[in-house]
Amino acid sequence: MQHYIRPSQPPEQLSNLTSSPFSPRFPSLSLIARTTMFFSKASCDPPFEEHYKSLLRNSIMQCSQAQVHEVVGECELPVIDLSGLRSSDEEKRHACVAAIAKASSEWGFFQVLSHGISTELLGEMRREQTKLFEMPFEKKVTSGLLNNSYRWGTPTAASLDQFSWSEAFHVPLEKILEEDGGNGEFNSHRVVMRKLAGAMSELARMLAGVLAENLGYPGDFFTENCSKRTCFLRLNRYPPCPFSPETYGLMPHTDSDFLTILHQDEVGGLQLRKDFKWVAVWPNPDALIVNIGDLFQAWSNDIYKSAEHKVMANGRVERYSIAYFLCPSYESTIGSYREPSLYKKFTFGEFRKQVQKDVEKTGHKVGLSRFLI
């Protein structure tokens, strides 16, 4: 296992520098001139500049001299070879389990190799994902594709720091199995999604089992309550953002699940909060990223950490990622693996409702602190 943080300039394709009128390349332009340049030139799919014009314009005026989202360096997350879990050598298996538990406690994020999901399947999904997002915006919005799972922007945003410059298909696993009406135009997407969802689900359940066993519980302690109705596969696209290099592709948050499996492309933009500082995650084409969610943090009494993370938009190139979310049924009660507990018991449904309520009221997720004793 290896990991480090390096305060170096990222390579060109990972940089968040843009040719936007709001970048340092235009220091002599007045604020009004830069604002006019953006709105006269901006044209993108989805039509963020049309639907969120007032929010974006007001944010430019208010935040042109605001604090930059400082990133202290890049990090290579802990890298764990999962072949150790399948080894007949008990010492190698224990070492792998210990590495997973350590990364979950110290980082809340880690990368896995030998994860069992082929590069061919991931490549096939990327091609299908690209075709989905290349469809005209109106068709994505109105066709009912993948059971009306299309999302874009942030309808509740009242300011730029509550806004995400991205679009996604957020699909419950049970919906992947259902056929769309009509001529089966999207059947090829479903076939590939079904394969990937099955593979990611198997990996997520294995890792959840390892983390449960590490704290003295059976490996199926969580996964027996995780259903296809509440586990999700999310296909993300982050379009080039000509607006500002400080725009979120996905605003800072923690994940409301047990754990997440992520496959990202080579563009970069993912950042996580480590030791109260933001660090950029260096893309590793051979690895999948795993991160701990709020439910695992609550159940483990804060032994495992649900780390805050975000995605920064890129000014020149689009970014793609695929995420799998391991979630229990809405009726499942989340307690603590030992007493005294740091958190009140709550159901997954109650947790989701509280998150939605906070987002609607404040524009931000509050999360686990709402349930502290």
Side-chain angles (χ1 to χ4, degrees):
M1 183 179 73
Q2 53 180 295
H3 59 273
Y4 54 89
I5 298 178
R6 50 186 171 190
S8 60
Q9 178 69 19
E12 186 69 15
Q13 69 268 27
L14 302 182
S15 174
N16 283 319
L17 294 177
T18 77
S19 55
S20 158
F22 300 94
S23 76
R25 300 182 187 184
F26 297 86
S28 62
L29 291 178
S30 69
L31 176 61
I32 295 177
R34 286 180 285 163
T35 305
T36 303
M37 183 183 294
F38 167 68
F39 284 106
S40 64
K41 289 187 175 182
S43 178
C44 60
D45 181 8
F48 294 116
E49 78 284 357
E50 177 183 343
H51 287 259
Y52 293 97
K53 186 172 184 177
S54 177
L55 181 149
L56 296 175
R57 185 185 292 274
N58 291 339
S59 296
I60 292 170
M61 295 298 186
Q62 296 170 6
C63 303
S64 63
Q65 304 299 325
Q67 180 180 357
V68 174
H69 298 280
E70 182 181 2
V71 180
V72 298
E74 300 147 359
C75 71
E76 185 168 355
L77 299 173
V79 180
I80 301 171
D81 189 329
L82 296 183
S83 62
L85 293 179
R86 298 183 286 272
S87 175
S88 58
D89 186 328
E90 201 62 26
E91 186 175 331
K92 288 184 178 179
R93 189 181 190 282
H94 283 316
C96 189
V97 170
I100 292 170
K102 186 174 189 289
S104 299
S105 297
E106 295 182 357
W107 287 76
F109 270 76
F110 55 95
Q111 299 176 99
V112 293
L113 302 173
S114 303
H115 45 69
I117 302 177
S118 70
T119 55
E120 291 78 14
L121 178 56
L122 292 169
E124 192 177 1
M125 185 69 256
R126 170 63 186 273
R127 290 188 290 273
E128 292 293 340
Q129 182 179 6
T130 301
K131 287 192 291 185
L132 279 174
F133 285 113
E134 284 178 346
M135 290 190 303
F137 173 70
E138 290 302 324
K139 186 171 185 178
K140 286 182 284 190
V141 170
T142 62
S143 66
L145 176 61
L146 295 174
N147 306 93
N148 293 303
S149 62
Y150 180 66
R151 306 288 185 268
W152 70 287
T154 312
T156 58
S159 60
L160 188 61
D161 66 349
Q162 299 172 4
F163 181 74
S164 295
W165 189 281
S166 57
E167 59 179 334
F169 291 95
H170 192 75
V171 193
L173 298 197
E174 68 173 358
K175 298 299 184 182
I176 298 176
L177 305 177
E178 296 181 4
E179 299 296 330
D180 285 310
N183 57 10
E185 178 182 0
F186 307 116
N187 284 348
S188 65
H189 306 306
R190 288 185 179 279
V191 169
V192 179
M193 287 181 68
R194 190 178 302 132
K195 291 179 184 177
L196 184 63
M200 284 192 163
S201 177
E202 184 176 339
L203 175 60
R205 289 168 181 269
M206 178 181 71
L207 292 170
V210 166
L211 290 168
E213 288 175 1
N214 181 62
L215 295 182
Y217 278 73
D220 62 353
F221 182 74
F222 298 111
T223 56
E224 63 183 10
N225 291 320
C226 294
S227 72
K228 291 179 178 179
R229 182 168 65 98
T230 51
C231 293
F232 292 85
L233 192 67
R234 184 179 178 95
L235 311 180
N236 299 303
R237 174 180 176 259
Y238 302 89
C241 178
F243 169 53
S244 168
E246 301 308 316
T247 303
Y248 295 130
L250 194 61
M251 60 187 290
H253 67 286
T254 56
D255 288 351
S256 301
D257 62 356
F258 279 126
L259 58 80
T260 305
I261 309 291
L262 177 73
H263 177 251
Q264 63 170 343
D265 64 16
E266 72 287 351
V267 172
L270 176 63
Q271 299 177 8
L272 64 89
R273 194 87 164 162
K274 179 75 168 83
D275 299 327
F276 307 103
K277 300 174 183 177
W278 286 108
V279 292
V281 176
W282 190 271
N284 183 337
D286 299 319
L288 296 177
I289 292 175
V290 180
N291 66 277
I292 301 299
D294 297 334
L295 305 187
F296 237 139
Q297 176 169 327
W299 179 80
S300 71
N301 243 8
D302 283 1
I303 290 179
Y304 303 140
K305 301 299 190 297
S306 179
E308 188 178 23
H309 53 286
K310 62 184 178 181
V311 175
M312 298 306 297
N314 190 295
R316 289 172 293 180
V317 294
E318 61 186 355
R319 175 183 185 267
Y320 287 93
S321 68
I322 305 164
Y324 174 89
F325 300 93
L326 181 68
C327 305
S329 66
Y330 295 125
E331 300 78 24
S332 294
T333 299
I334 309 300
S336 172
Y337 89 103
R338 69 178 181 187
E339 297 294 339
S341 175
L342 298 174
Y343 302 94
K344 296 176 287 187
K345 289 184 178 180
F346 56 86
T347 67
F348 182 44
E350 290 169 341
F351 186 78
R352 281 175 56 90
K353 287 180 181 177
Q354 184 63 58
V355 168
Q356 292 168 356
K357 181 179 178 180
D358 288 332
V359 170
E360 290 172 1
K361 184 176 180 179
T362 70
H364 296 279
K365 172 184 173 180
V366 177
L368 281 178
S369 61
R370 287 288 192 199
F371 297 88
L372 284 167
I373 292 177

